[in-house]
């Protein structure tokens, strides 16, 4: 064994890029296993499944987006904030924007997730609101409050409705969860402000039905609740242009313009630009090809997981979910440790853990063990499930206690406590 091998065995440099479900949980799993460094563009984790509840004020930022410095024991995992712009696989180092010195590694874990895919639709990048980050939810909440504030108290019902029209693009789980929350929040605001008429939330889906790919029983619950919450579904409809104040739709060859105070885009995820730049084997969709051990093909010291990795041996419904990223993080941590110890990495097997969809501020649908549960019970079950998926015991306990003693009631739009940013 030469001197450099000995050094690697003593104190392996493990670099984890990305602090989401894949990256953060891998870093936590490897804490103390070597010189572990987590590099992430943001300074906090985000429990994305509860971003809708953050929008509605049912949960707070510290519950679902704790800072890495709070979660990581700095003696065991160092945190570096910054966007990685390049990886040099041959020299085993990565470039971080704004840092002169590159970061070297013996083992590299890539988990940088995806970004919003606007599919090149005209005006979408400029005018549509993405919904993937805390700041996106803040922007949307502000947009809804601004729209409501512009409605005079004596406005005619049709004028109030026009001013409080919002369009959600994409009828997948994300679009459904978002549109039901928005509808509940806006209808509640109409009642509180004594406005006449009702707001309008339109959900645009290109396919024939909402939540494609989900179990038909859960879809039946979703469709029923969408109708109850007065979300208008435009199926088999394409967005052809997003305007500063509206959207142009196409259905059966006919075009229609809907004036709107906000257009929110949930219709698709694109590969992270960092991954696009890397010279390793990828699928035709740009995902990294990984071995069953989650090692990047041809680079055994590099692992990839979560939204950027193509792992063919699972149910298609698991692809691109927090569920699989979370499960994969356990395997990656184990396999990196195995390599450090001179062992052989193991292949992974990942399970479908069930489906859960939030439906407004008082409802949800949960599919577990082949049964669909709806209503308040499902809402509570969903919270319980997600509390167990929050990082670290300490954080879980703090959040669990806050929910237990403080409750999870929504915060009406525009009431005190709203963060109004310029
Ligand atoms: C609103 C919303 C709701 C969702 N709801 C659900 C749900 O209910 N159930 C479910 O299973 N899945 C859900 N998902 C999908 C789920 O969030 C993702 O599948 C999961 O987060 C993927 O984990 P990941 O680690 O691959 O990426 P992410 O969790 O996206 O983490 C990526 C990390 O990489 C960092 N990063 C990005 N680029 C760089 C860079 N160049 N350099 C350094 N760091 C970088 C980011 O800051 C982030 O920390 C939802 C997604 C969204 C957006």
């Amino acid at each position: 064994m030469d001197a450099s091998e000995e050094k690697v065995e003593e104190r392996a440099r493990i670099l984890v890029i990305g602090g989401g479900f894949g990256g953060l949980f891998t870093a936590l799993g490897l804490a103390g296993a070597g010189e572990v460094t987590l590099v992430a563009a943001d300074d906090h984790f985000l429990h994305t499944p509860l971003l809708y509840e953050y929008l509605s004020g049912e949960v707070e930022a510290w519950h679902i987006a704790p800072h890495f410095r709070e979660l990581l024991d700095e003696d065991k995992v160092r945190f570096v904030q910054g966007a990685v712009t390049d990886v040099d696989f041959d020299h085993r180092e990565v470039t971080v924007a704004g840092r002169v010195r590159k970061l070297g590694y013996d083992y590299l874990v890539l988990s940088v997730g995806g970004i919003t895919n606007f599919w090149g639709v005209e005006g979408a990048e400029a005018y549509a609101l993405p919904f993937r980050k805390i700041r996106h939810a803040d922007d949307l909440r502000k947009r809804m409050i601004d729209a409501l504030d512009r409605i005079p108290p004596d406005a005619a019902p049709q004028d109030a409705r026009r001013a409080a029209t919002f369009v959600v693009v994409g009828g997948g789980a994300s679009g459904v969860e978002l549109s039901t929350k928005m509808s509940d929040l806006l209808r509640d605001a109409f009642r509180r402000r004594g406005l006449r008429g009702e707001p309008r939330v339109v959900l645009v889906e290109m396919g024939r039905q909402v939540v494609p790919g989900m179990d038909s029983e859960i879809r039946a619950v979703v469709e029923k609740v969408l109708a109850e919450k007065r979300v208008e579904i435009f199926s088999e409809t394409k967005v052809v242009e997003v305007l500063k104040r509206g959207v142009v739709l196409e259905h059966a060859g006919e075009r229609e313009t809907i004036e709107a105070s906000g257009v929110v885009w949930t219709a698709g995820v694109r590969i992270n630009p960092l991954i696009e730049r890397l010279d390793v084997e990828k699928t035709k969709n740009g995902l990294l090809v990984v071995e069953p051990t989650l090692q990047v093909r041809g680079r055994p010291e590099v692992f990839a997981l979560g939204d950027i990795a193509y792992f063919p041996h699972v149910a298609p419904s698991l692809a691109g979910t927090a569920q699989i990223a979370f499960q994969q993080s356990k395997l990656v941590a184990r396999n990196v440790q195995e390599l450090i110890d001179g062992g052989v990495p193991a292949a992974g097997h990942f399970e479908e853990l069930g489906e859960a969809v939030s439906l407004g501020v008082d409802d949800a649908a949960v599919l577990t063990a082949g049964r669909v549960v709806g209503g308040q019970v499902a809402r509570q079950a969903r919270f319980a499930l997600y509390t167990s998926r929050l990082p670290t015991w300490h954080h879980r306990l703090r959040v669990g206690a806050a929910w237990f003693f403080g409750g999870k009631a929504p915060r009406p739009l525009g009431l005190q406590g709203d963060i109004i940013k310029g």
Side-chain angles (χ1 to χ4, degrees):
M1 181 187 296
D2 69 21
S4 67
E5 278 179 84
E6 202 175 316
K7 184 172 144 259
V8 168
E9 277 189 19
E10 274 174 11
R11 204 75 190 138
R13 293 167 308 162
I14 306 160
L15 207 49
V16 180
I17 313 296
F21 277 94
L24 173 66
F25 285 93
T26 302
L28 287 169
L30 282 166
E35 274 178 36
V36 184
T37 305
L38 174 72
V39 187
D42 299 311
D43 63 0
H44 58 269
F45 169 71
L46 176 59
H47 193 293
T48 47
L50 289 172
L51 193 56
Y52 316 100
E53 280 70 21
Y54 172 74
L55 173 77
S56 60
E58 289 163 90
V59 304
E60 293 175 35
W62 74 264
H63 298 152
I64 65 157
H67 283 238
F68 292 124
R69 293 198 198 284
E70 237 175 72
L71 301 171
L72 301 169
D73 175 349
E74 62 186 31
D75 293 336
K76 294 185 175 162
V77 182
R78 183 165 77 110
F79 170 60
V80 171
Q81 188 179 356
V84 170
T85 53
D86 202 9
V87 179
D88 181 340
F89 291 115
D90 294 332
H91 294 97
R92 300 193 179 183
E93 54 189 20
V94 309
T95 310
V96 183
R99 287 175 74 98
V100 178
R101 283 188 56 194
K102 298 185 179 188
L103 299 175
Y105 65 83
D106 300 309
Y107 301 104
L108 178 68
V109 178
L110 294 169
S111 192
V112 287
I115 60 170
T116 301
N117 194 344
F118 293 105
W119 302 105
V121 170
E122 202 180 335
E125 195 146 6
Y127 300 123
L129 299 163
F131 194 77
R132 297 186 61 82
K133 305 265 180 192
I134 284 281
R135 65 173 183 279
H136 299 153
D138 286 339
D139 289 348
L140 175 57
R141 200 171 157 96
K142 181 175 184 310
R143 189 72 78 88
M144 288 193 286
I145 294 169
D146 286 349
L148 290 163
D149 287 349
R150 278 197 300 269
I151 304 173
D154 58 351
Q158 66 275 20
D159 294 338
R161 182 172 167 79
R162 193 173 318 112
T165 294
F166 283 82
V167 175
V168 176
V169 183
S174 206
V176 163
E177 298 191 270
L178 192 54
S179 58
T180 47
K181 283 280 188 229
M182 290 170 68
S183 178
D184 275 355
L185 286 170
L186 290 165
R187 286 182 309 141
D188 172 72
F190 262 53
R191 273 192 300 272
R192 285 173 189 275
R193 293 170 186 233
L195 294 172
R196 289 183 294 158
E198 59 173 25
R200 184 180 190 204
V201 177
V202 172
L203 180 62
V204 182
E205 165 57 36
M206 232 163 73
R208 278 196 17 241
Q209 48 194 13
V210 292
V211 288
M214 270 202 181
D215 177 90
S216 59
E217 239 188 290
I218 212 165
R219 178 175 310 111
V221 176
V222 166
E223 285 175 344
K224 181 171 156 281
V225 179
L226 282 167
E228 281 166 10
K229 294 190 182 292
R230 310 193 53 82
V231 174
E232 277 178 57
I233 304 172
F234 281 42
S235 56
E236 297 185 87
T237 302
K238 215 165 91 184
V239 175
V240 286
E241 188 178 350
V242 180
L243 311 166
K244 198 165 180 193
R245 288 194 59 82
V247 73
V248 183
L249 303 177
E250 189 178 284
H251 171 76
E254 299 281 319
R255 289 200 173 189
E256 177 187 356
T257 299
I258 296 184
E259 200 185 304
S261 288
V263 177
V264 200
W265 197 273
T266 71
V269 180
R270 218 187 91 193
I271 292 289
N272 191 299
L274 171 66
I275 303 304
E276 283 172 1
R277 279 198 291 279
L278 301 185
D279 184 20
V280 277
E281 194 175 333
K282 295 177 201 156
T283 66
K284 67 176 186 336
N285 296 328
L287 296 167
L288 294 178
V289 175
V290 291
E291 305 292 354
T293 55
L294 295 175
Q295 286 161 295
V296 170
R297 186 160 299 164
R299 296 280 174 190
E301 73 287 2
V302 182
F303 290 79
L305 70 160
D307 285 1
I308 57 168
Y310 175 64
F311 191 85
H313 321 284
V314 287
S317 57
L318 265 183
T321 65
Q323 283 194 34
I324 193 168
F326 177 77
Q327 294 180 62
Q328 288 177 331
S329 70
K330 310 272 172 219
L331 181 70
V332 171
R334 223 174 39 236
N335 281 345
V336 171
Q337 185 67 63
E338 202 61 54
L339 288 180
I340 293 171
D341 296 343
V344 179
H349 172 70
F350 309 110
E351 299 278 337
E352 173 93 65
L353 305 174
E355 288 168 351
V357 190
S358 104
L359 297 166
V361 299
D362 53 3
D363 212 332
V366 173
L367 175 69
T368 174
R371 264 194 69 216
V372 175
V373 183
Q376 269 294 345
V377 175
R379 180 174 177 264
Q380 295 302 344
R382 187 173 169 273
F383 269 110
L385 173 74
Y386 289 152
T387 315
S388 72
R389 293 275 179 271
L390 290 171
T392 78
W393 272 109
H394 180 70
H395 186 65
R396 255 171 259 162
L397 283 174
R398 281 183 68 209
V399 173
W403 287 346
F404 187 75
F405 294 112
K408 302 176 289 290
R411 185 158 36 90
L413 286 175
L415 279 199
Q416 272 182 355
D418 254 314
I419 318 146
I420 305 296
K421 291 183 184 152

